[in-house]
Amino acid sequence: MVGLNRAVAHGYAHGPAAGLALLAEARAGGALDGYPPAVAAEAELTARLGDPVRAAALFRAAADAVRSDPERRALLRRAAELSP
């Protein structure tokens, strides 16, 4: 969890590529596999990096993994914002 937060903060402070690199480190070993906030963080950083197609797919994947309907709707709305 700390690694995820660090990656997001780094992504905002030092750019999305730096955040994605730290997120990849935090995900090594599978500790964050399938964890919706980690997928959503990757999606947001990917969008900020300039890859809206991949980001939208990641937001949809995060939406598929959450249990909360409001959270699912928010993630799907963000995916729709990025879709052409």
Side-chain angles (χ1 to χ4, degrees):
M1 184 65 74
V2 172
L4 172 59
N5 291 336
R6 181 173 178 246
V8 171
H10 227 71
Y12 280 97
H14 303 286
L20 286 167
L22 284 176
L23 184 57
E25 288 178 23
R27 293 180 93 169
L32 296 174
D33 287 352
Y35 184 54
V39 178
E42 181 180 0
E44 189 59 42
L45 291 168
T46 299
R48 293 185 58 228
L49 191 62
D51 189 349
V53 173
R54 175 156 170 67
L58 287 165
F59 276 118
R60 286 189 294 274
D64 288 344
V66 297
R67 296 182 183 152
S68 160
D69 285 334
E71 190 173 6
R72 181 176 299 107
R73 285 191 301 272
L75 291 164
L76 290 174
R77 187 170 37 253
R78 185 68 176 113
E81 291 171 357
L82 296 167
S83 297

